[in-house]
Amino acid sequence: MRPEEVKKIAHLARLAILSEEELVSYTQNLTDIMHLIEQLNAIDVTGIEPMSHPFDMVQRLREDVVTEADQRDLLQSNNVVPFSTVEGLYLVPQVIE
Amino acid sequence: MHMKSLTELSVALKNKQISSKELTQHYLNRIEQFDKTLNSFITVTPEQALAAAESADQLLTKGEGNALTGIPLAQKDIFCTLGVRSSAGSKMLDNFIAPYDATVVEKCNHAGMVMLGKTNMDDAAMGSSNENSFYGSVKNPWDLTVVPGGSSGGSAAAVAAGLTPIATGTDTGGSIRQPASFCGISGLKPTYGLVSRYGMIAFASSLDQGGPMGRTAADVALFLNVMAGFDPKDSTCVKTTVPDYAASLDDSIAGLRIGLPKEYFAEGLNPEIAACIEAAAKEYQKLGATLHEVSLPNSKTALAAYYVIAPAEASSNLSRYDGIRFGHRCENPKDLLDLYSRSRAEGFGREVKRRIMIGTYMLSSGYFDAYYLKAQKIRRLIANDYQAAFKQVDVILGPTAPSVAFKLGEKSNDPVSMYLSDIYTIPVNLAGLPAMSIPAGFVNNLPVGMHLTGNYFAEARLLNIAHQYQKNTDWHERFPETYK
């Protein structure tokens, strides 16, 4: 892995790299981990279906009725959220110029 | 008192030899006395505990309640607990007071159990040593210079040191079983979908599973009765009848066919650990079981497949931590991108960030097929290996970990070396099978765990097999000297 690749991945993941030391460390770590993962290349998986759930379950469906209560006040109470809200909206830095 | 099993405590409470309040106070005192050194708890909840004990005592006085009424427990800090900090061992959630109870927590409360507090864990459940916690490392009660294992290191250490009779843990790649092995206790990872993940802070959604950690298989069985069961709020929960896991503990195991995977006993396994497992196998033969060699040929690629799938799922799950609605937010963000990037960089530990980055890479355009999709196919091959083995045997036996607990700091600079601690536990998570670790001996005065894997929903059988071993051996009764 090259440091530029690591920077690009960090940006995709919205993770600031806080120092040069971090960049060096992550580059080495990710290189080592990729080396472990390269082992997968040797395996032949022709004709095998991917498995994402042990029982190949699909999303269970339910009746289309409202069961959730409006909990905005609870979820935005000072206990839970230390940030400012205005009329139930979270305040963030300006997004659009 | 603290050296008694949950089963014994349950009887004592029922016979009014002790009250829940006395029992709870006893454990709270021990936490006060010992936990500064062990660091197994992140949050202790004495008022709440004593109030719950009071309610439990009222039920018990009337002769009501069940086997777990009034029993103290510790909740791994990955479970949301209403009104109590739920940090997942992370700076990201240090300020997070959960507005609801996880289903597992609700079930424990409904059973009349008494929560002592929230246990320490590796940051976001990512780790095998409990050295990655924002709240500092947990120590192993058997030797304070070695790790308790992870990520459920706090729960394991607390049970092992008698700071709680029972605890919850979670297991994505071995995080219940490996610390159980390192701390000399019994831990079970249920079949994927048996225990609700609602309110359990997510790491890798197709692998995560909550489970019980206790002093004995019988204790684990009693607690699994509380934890297990279909929950409509968890869309990956499986609708299945939950038996009484304690009812079949005393069934005979004569005729049990035990499989020993040849790949696990090849060179590379520490010979002293191999000796413990071989002795355990012989013990099973005395009880009427037969031993068979089986093969799990794709188990060698399990570690690599896991380190594609788990980080990929984690990168997706952890994207919710954006510093906007809850959790850590950086000071003076200059714009939205800075708010996201710095909040996340500050809130997550190094290992978490490593895994998010690997996961992001795996899922990114151009790499998805080569890595993520391929790993999901290898996953099926691994699951198929187990199904083939289960045609010949009833349970698979092996070591839980390749070593006993290693020294604090020994592997913390080498992530891949740390990942190798989970080499025997990981394949089970990929396949979604149930598995247990129970004490099977000591090497260099540190506990060794044996690993038992069953077929889907065979928890009752696994617990029965584990219990029979514990009836005929006493490894599980050993207690670290300092904490007696």
Side-chain angles (χ1 to χ4, degrees):
Chain A
M1 277 243 168
R2 289 167 289 117
E4 307 83 66
E5 281 179 290
V6 174
K7 278 190 190 167
K8 181 168 159 247
I9 294 167
H11 178 68
L12 282 175
R14 297 297 184 265
L15 289 171
I17 297 195
L18 302 169
S19 70
E20 190 57 39
E21 181 272 321
E22 270 209 349
L23 181 61
V24 169
S25 172
Y26 287 134
T27 309
Q28 185 58 58
N29 293 153
L30 295 187
T31 306
D32 292 340
I33 297 169
M34 284 312 298
H35 192 66
L36 165 70
I37 289 168
E38 300 297 319
Q39 285 178 30
L40 296 180
N41 293 341
I43 315 295
D44 179 14
V45 289
T46 335
I48 308 293
E49 280 302 295
M51 179 168 124
S52 51
H53 187 289
F55 310 110
D56 292 323
M57 248 173 76
V58 292
Q59 178 62 56
R60 196 171 57 234
L61 301 178
R62 65 181 178 95
E63 289 301 306
D64 185 12
V65 291
V66 175
T67 53
E68 296 301 302
D70 178 356
Q71 296 188 84
R72 190 170 67 181
D73 289 342
L74 166 67
L75 298 176
Q76 290 187 343
S77 64
N78 288 333
N79 219 16
V80 183
V81 171
F83 311 133
S84 322
T85 60
V86 164
E87 292 177 46
L89 306 174
Y90 295 93
L91 295 182
V92 297
Q94 185 174 3
V95 182
I96 298 167
E97 297 294 300
Chain B
M1 195 56 56
H2 45 272
M3 290 173 63
K4 288 190 192 299
S5 69
L6 186 155
T7 315
E8 289 169 311
L9 292 174
S10 178
V11 169
L13 283 168
K14 204 186 197 99
N15 295 341
K16 305 193 176 46
Q17 289 162 317
I18 191 168
S19 70
S20 176
K21 229 165 161 200
E22 287 170 300
L23 191 58
T24 301
Q25 192 60 62
H26 179 70
Y27 282 107
L28 288 171
N29 293 344
R30 283 181 65 77
I31 294 168
E32 175 85 44
Q33 185 185 356
F34 293 115
D35 207 46
K36 274 182 199 53
T37 327
L38 283 180
N39 199 29
S40 64
F41 280 84
I42 291 174
T43 304
V44 187
T45 50
E47 289 97 40
Q48 194 167 330
L50 290 166
E54 181 73 54
S55 308
D57 278 331
Q58 283 172 18
L59 283 176
L60 290 165
T61 323
K62 287 189 272 177
E64 291 168 19
N66 58 63
L68 289 126
T69 305
I71 296 282
L73 91 152
Q75 294 283 7
K76 182 175 180 179
D77 211 10
I78 200 168
F79 289 100
C80 286
T81 42
L82 175 63
V84 176
R85 173 174 54 189
S86 303
S87 74
S90 189
K91 179 174 173 175
M92 183 58 84
L93 292 174
D94 178 47
N95 66 4
F96 180 67
I97 310 286
Y100 69 111
D101 278 328
T103 296
V104 161
V105 173
E106 239 179 39
K107 282 167 164 284
C108 293
N109 294 343
H110 189 69
M113 297 180 83
V114 173
M115 183 175 87
L116 296 164
K118 312 295 292 299
T119 54
N120 204 342
M121 53 182 283
D122 277 301
D123 191 341
M126 299 183 193
S128 308
S129 65
N130 221 135
E131 295 173 286
N132 292 337
S133 170
F134 173 61
Y135 301 94
S137 299
V138 177
K139 314 290 187 299
N140 190 317
W142 292 93
D143 176 345
L144 298 175
T145 68
V146 306
V147 301
S151 62
S152 311
S155 287
V159 170
L163 303 190
T164 179
I166 196 101
T168 52
T170 63
D171 191 311
T172 304
S175 292
I176 285 175
R177 295 160 286 148
Q178 184 252 35
S181 174
F182 280 7
C183 289
I185 65 165
S186 302
L188 174 116
K189 182 203 85 72
T191 306
Y192 182 82
L194 183 71
V195 172
S196 172
R197 293 185 303 109
Y198 182 77
M200 195 175 108
I201 293 166
F203 161 11
S205 305
S206 79
L207 302 169
D208 290 351
Q209 195 57 193
M213 300 176 76
R215 304 203 59 80
T216 71
D219 290 2
V220 166
L222 281 174
F223 193 32
L224 186 62
N225 281 345
V226 173
M227 290 182 78
F230 178 69
D231 176 16
K233 292 185 282 197
D234 174 357
S235 68
T236 58
C237 231
V238 179
K239 264 189 178 149
T240 181
T241 4
V242 175
D244 174 358
Y245 293 108
S248 45
L249 290 172
D250 286 314
D251 286 0
S252 160
I253 61 168
L256 179 73
R257 298 167 303 164
I258 297 179
L260 297 155
K262 67 176 197 229
E263 291 81 6
Y264 290 178
F265 293 91
E267 15 77 38
L269 174 60
N270 177 318
E272 289 174 289
I273 299 214
C276 287
I277 307 304
E278 276 150 25
K282 285 201 175 60
E283 203 57 53
Y284 275 115
Q285 278 182 308
K286 284 197 233 156
L287 296 171
T290 54
L291 306 177
H292 308 261
E293 188 187 76
V294 293
S295 178
L296 300 171
N298 290 290
S299 58
K300 296 195 206 76
T301 53
L303 194 70
Y306 176 85
Y307 276 102
V308 170
I309 294 168
E313 296 187 5
S315 74
S316 178
N317 277 326
L318 270 57
S319 63
R320 73 192 64 180
Y321 302 110
D322 55 11
I324 301 293
R325 294 155 299 142
F326 62 93
H328 177 75
R329 185 190 281 188
C330 62
E331 303 268 302
N332 306 317
K334 61 177 175 18
D335 56 31
L336 192 60
L337 179 61
D338 184 45
L339 194 162
Y340 289 149
S341 306
R342 248 190 326 126
S343 300
R344 290 163 61 79
E346 290 169 8
F348 294 133
R350 289 278 183 120
E351 182 59 30
V352 177
K353 286 189 275 191
R354 279 194 276 266
R355 297 201 196 187
I356 290 174
M357 285 194 277
I358 283 284
T360 303
Y361 183 61
M362 295 299 143
L363 293 174
S364 65
S365 154
Y367 296 106
F368 180 88
D369 283 357
Y371 294 116
Y372 187 72
L373 204 57
K374 180 145 195 184
Q376 295 284 48
K377 293 179 182 182
I378 287 173
R379 188 176 180 172
R380 190 173 295 283
L381 289 178
I382 291 167
N384 291 347
D385 279 356
Y386 277 103
Q387 290 310 300
F390 284 128
K391 285 194 171 59
Q392 306 161 48
V393 298
D394 306 306
V395 68
I396 291 169
L397 172 66
T400 303
S403 71
V404 289
F406 42 87
K407 293 271 182 210
L408 287 153
E410 186 181 313
K411 295 184 197 276
S412 41
N413 289 326
D414 185 353
V416 176
S417 166
M418 184 73 82
Y419 298 164
L420 290 167
S421 332
D422 294 330
I423 208 164
Y424 299 119
T425 50
I426 271 175
V428 154
N429 297 83
L430 291 171
L433 294 165
M436 272 195 88
S437 179
I438 58 172
F442 286 81
V443 166
N444 301 332
N445 299 316
L446 289 170
V448 171
M450 86 160 100
H451 191 253
L452 295 161
T453 308
N455 211 344
Y456 300 113
F457 300 109
E459 286 81 3
R461 190 64 162 143
L462 272 181
L463 288 159
N464 160 228
I465 294 165
H467 179 68
Q468 290 306 307
Y469 179 80
Q470 290 183 344
K471 271 172 77 172
N472 291 281
T473 57
D474 69 355
W475 300 117
H476 61 288
E477 283 171 7
R478 304 292 176 87
F479 206 96
E481 205 55 48
T482 325
Y483 298 92
K484 281 193 175 154

PDB file of all heavy atoms in Angstrom, chain B residues 324-336:
ATOM      1  N   ILE B 324     -22.747  14.049  14.412  1.00  0.00           N
ATOM      2  CA  ILE B 324     -23.873  14.971  14.203  1.00  0.00           C
ATOM      3  C   ILE B 324     -24.960  14.798  15.264  1.00  0.00           C
ATOM      4  O   ILE B 324     -25.371  15.744  15.911  1.00  0.00           O
ATOM      5  CB  ILE B 324     -24.509  14.758  12.805  1.00  0.00           C
ATOM      6  CG1 ILE B 324     -23.473  14.983  11.701  1.00  0.00           C
ATOM      7  CG2 ILE B 324     -25.732  15.654  12.608  1.00  0.00           C
ATOM      8  CD1 ILE B 324     -22.981  16.398  11.564  1.00  0.00           C
ATOM      9  N   ARG B 325     -25.426  13.540  15.401  1.00  0.00           N
ATOM     10  CA  ARG B 325     -26.611  13.345  16.239  1.00  0.00           C
ATOM     11  C   ARG B 325     -26.285  12.902  17.656  1.00  0.00           C
ATOM     12  O   ARG B 325     -27.072  13.095  18.566  1.00  0.00           O
ATOM     13  CB  ARG B 325     -27.548  12.323  15.594  1.00  0.00           C
ATOM     14  CG  ARG B 325     -28.156  12.818  14.283  1.00  0.00           C
ATOM     15  CD  ARG B 325     -28.545  11.670  13.390  1.00  0.00           C
ATOM     16  NE  ARG B 325     -27.373  10.877  13.038  1.00  0.00           N
ATOM     17  CZ  ARG B 325     -27.355   9.562  12.935  1.00  0.00           C
ATOM     18  NH1 ARG B 325     -28.439   8.867  13.130  1.00  0.00           N
ATOM     19  NH2 ARG B 325     -26.235   8.922  12.618  1.00  0.00           N
ATOM     20  N   PHE B 326     -25.191  12.203  17.845  1.00  0.00           N
ATOM     21  CA  PHE B 326     -24.813  11.711  19.169  1.00  0.00           C
ATOM     22  C   PHE B 326     -23.350  11.305  19.103  1.00  0.00           C
ATOM     23  O   PHE B 326     -22.750  11.280  18.037  1.00  0.00           O
ATOM     24  CB  PHE B 326     -25.695  10.518  19.583  1.00  0.00           C
ATOM     25  CG  PHE B 326     -25.559   9.330  18.680  1.00  0.00           C
ATOM     26  CD1 PHE B 326     -24.654   8.317  18.952  1.00  0.00           C
ATOM     27  CD2 PHE B 326     -26.343   9.234  17.531  1.00  0.00           C
ATOM     28  CE1 PHE B 326     -24.528   7.222  18.093  1.00  0.00           C
ATOM     29  CE2 PHE B 326     -26.220   8.145  16.674  1.00  0.00           C
ATOM     30  CZ  PHE B 326     -25.310   7.137  16.964  1.00  0.00           C
ATOM     31  N   GLY B 327     -22.797  10.986  20.255  1.00  0.00           N
ATOM     32  CA  GLY B 327     -21.405  10.556  20.270  1.00  0.00           C
ATOM     33  C   GLY B 327     -20.428  11.711  20.241  1.00  0.00           C
ATOM     34  O   GLY B 327     -20.806  12.871  20.411  1.00  0.00           O
ATOM     35  N   HIS B 328     -19.178  11.410  19.992  1.00  0.00           N
ATOM     36  CA  HIS B 328     -18.126  12.418  20.039  1.00  0.00           C
ATOM     37  C   HIS B 328     -18.188  13.388  18.868  1.00  0.00           C
ATOM     38  O   HIS B 328     -18.366  12.985  17.732  1.00  0.00           O
ATOM     39  CB  HIS B 328     -16.761  11.703  20.047  1.00  0.00           C
ATOM     40  CG  HIS B 328     -15.607  12.656  20.022  1.00  0.00           C
ATOM     41  ND1 HIS B 328     -15.210  13.378  21.115  1.00  0.00           N
ATOM     42  CD2 HIS B 328     -14.785  13.027  19.006  1.00  0.00           C
ATOM     43  CE1 HIS B 328     -14.183  14.137  20.795  1.00  0.00           C
ATOM     44  NE2 HIS B 328     -13.898  13.954  19.523  1.00  0.00           N
ATOM     45  N   ARG B 329     -18.046  14.670  19.160  1.00  0.00           N
ATOM     46  CA  ARG B 329     -17.898  15.672  18.103  1.00  0.00           C
ATOM     47  C   ARG B 329     -16.648  16.482  18.409  1.00  0.00           C
ATOM     48  O   ARG B 329     -16.430  16.881  19.558  1.00  0.00           O
ATOM     49  CB  ARG B 329     -19.123  16.585  18.045  1.00  0.00           C
ATOM     50  CG  ARG B 329     -19.052  17.573  16.862  1.00  0.00           C
ATOM     51  CD  ARG B 329     -20.121  18.626  16.947  1.00  0.00           C
ATOM     52  NE  ARG B 329     -21.412  18.128  16.487  1.00  0.00           N
ATOM     53  CZ  ARG B 329     -22.487  18.908  16.321  1.00  0.00           C
ATOM     54  NH1 ARG B 329     -22.391  20.201  16.551  1.00  0.00           N
ATOM     55  NH2 ARG B 329     -23.632  18.388  15.939  1.00  0.00           N
ATOM     56  N   CYS B 330     -15.864  16.747  17.375  1.00  0.00           N
ATOM     57  CA  CYS B 330     -14.621  17.503  17.582  1.00  0.00           C
ATOM     58  C   CYS B 330     -14.930  18.977  17.904  1.00  0.00           C
ATOM     59  O   CYS B 330     -16.011  19.462  17.601  1.00  0.00           O
ATOM     60  CB  CYS B 330     -13.734  17.422  16.346  1.00  0.00           C
ATOM     61  SG  CYS B 330     -14.483  18.130  14.858  1.00  0.00           S
ATOM     62  N   GLU B 331     -13.972  19.638  18.511  1.00  0.00           N
ATOM     63  CA  GLU B 331     -14.142  21.062  18.837  1.00  0.00           C
ATOM     64  C   GLU B 331     -13.926  21.911  17.592  1.00  0.00           C
ATOM     65  O   GLU B 331     -13.066  21.601  16.771  1.00  0.00           O
ATOM     66  CB  GLU B 331     -13.080  21.486  19.862  1.00  0.00           C
ATOM     67  CG  GLU B 331     -13.079  20.685  21.151  1.00  0.00           C
ATOM     68  CD  GLU B 331     -13.937  21.313  22.213  1.00  0.00           C
ATOM     69  OE1 GLU B 331     -13.661  22.480  22.556  1.00  0.00           O
ATOM     70  OE2 GLU B 331     -14.860  20.644  22.688  1.00  0.00           O
ATOM     71  N   ASN B 332     -14.664  23.014  17.497  1.00  0.00           N
ATOM     72  CA  ASN B 332     -14.464  24.011  16.438  1.00  0.00           C
ATOM     73  C   ASN B 332     -14.276  23.438  15.042  1.00  0.00           C
ATOM     74  O   ASN B 332     -13.251  23.668  14.402  1.00  0.00           O
ATOM     75  CB  ASN B 332     -13.239  24.887  16.758  1.00  0.00           C
ATOM     76  CG  ASN B 332     -13.344  25.499  18.138  1.00  0.00           C
ATOM     77  OD1 ASN B 332     -14.403  25.971  18.531  1.00  0.00           O
ATOM     78  ND2 ASN B 332     -12.245  25.452  18.874  1.00  0.00           N
ATOM     79  N   PRO B 333     -15.257  22.681  14.557  1.00  0.00           N
ATOM     80  CA  PRO B 333     -15.111  22.164  13.189  1.00  0.00           C
ATOM     81  C   PRO B 333     -15.154  23.320  12.204  1.00  0.00           C
ATOM     82  O   PRO B 333     -15.981  24.216  12.336  1.00  0.00           O
ATOM     83  CB  PRO B 333     -16.335  21.267  13.013  1.00  0.00           C
ATOM     84  CG  PRO B 333     -17.311  21.703  14.045  1.00  0.00           C
ATOM     85  CD  PRO B 333     -16.542  22.305  15.175  1.00  0.00           C
ATOM     86  N   LYS B 334     -14.217  23.305  11.210  1.00  0.00           N
ATOM     87  CA  LYS B 334     -14.223  24.461  10.305  1.00  0.00           C
ATOM     88  C   LYS B 334     -15.253  24.316   9.197  1.00  0.00           C
ATOM     89  O   LYS B 334     -15.707  25.289   8.628  1.00  0.00           O
ATOM     90  CB  LYS B 334     -12.813  24.767   9.768  1.00  0.00           C
ATOM     91  CG  LYS B 334     -12.136  23.696   8.954  1.00  0.00           C
ATOM     92  CD  LYS B 334     -10.779  24.272   8.488  1.00  0.00           C
ATOM     93  CE  LYS B 334      -9.821  23.409   7.753  1.00  0.00           C
ATOM     94  NZ  LYS B 334     -10.137  22.212   7.120  1.00  0.00           N
ATOM     95  N   ASP B 335     -15.601  23.077   8.854  1.00  0.00           N
ATOM     96  CA  ASP B 335     -16.702  22.837   7.912  1.00  0.00           C
ATOM     97  C   ASP B 335     -17.240  21.435   8.151  1.00  0.00           C
ATOM     98  O   ASP B 335     -16.756  20.740   9.045  1.00  0.00           O
ATOM     99  CB  ASP B 335     -16.239  23.028   6.459  1.00  0.00           C
ATOM    100  CG  ASP B 335     -15.044  22.144   6.111  1.00  0.00           C
ATOM    101  OD1 ASP B 335     -14.924  21.031   6.675  1.00  0.00           O
ATOM    102  OD2 ASP B 335     -14.216  22.577   5.288  1.00  0.00           O
ATOM    103  N   LEU B 336     -18.192  21.031   7.356  1.00  0.00           N
ATOM    104  CA  LEU B 336     -18.844  19.742   7.614  1.00  0.00           C
ATOM    105  C   LEU B 336     -17.862  18.579   7.455  1.00  0.00           C
ATOM    106  O   LEU B 336     -17.848  17.643   8.264  1.00  0.00           O
ATOM    107  CB  LEU B 336     -20.042  19.578   6.673  1.00  0.00           C
ATOM    108  CG  LEU B 336     -20.991  18.426   7.007  1.00  0.00           C
ATOM    109  CD1 LEU B 336     -21.585  18.594   8.403  1.00  0.00           C
ATOM    110  CD2 LEU B 336     -22.100  18.349   5.975  1.00  0.00           C
TER     111      LEU B 336
END
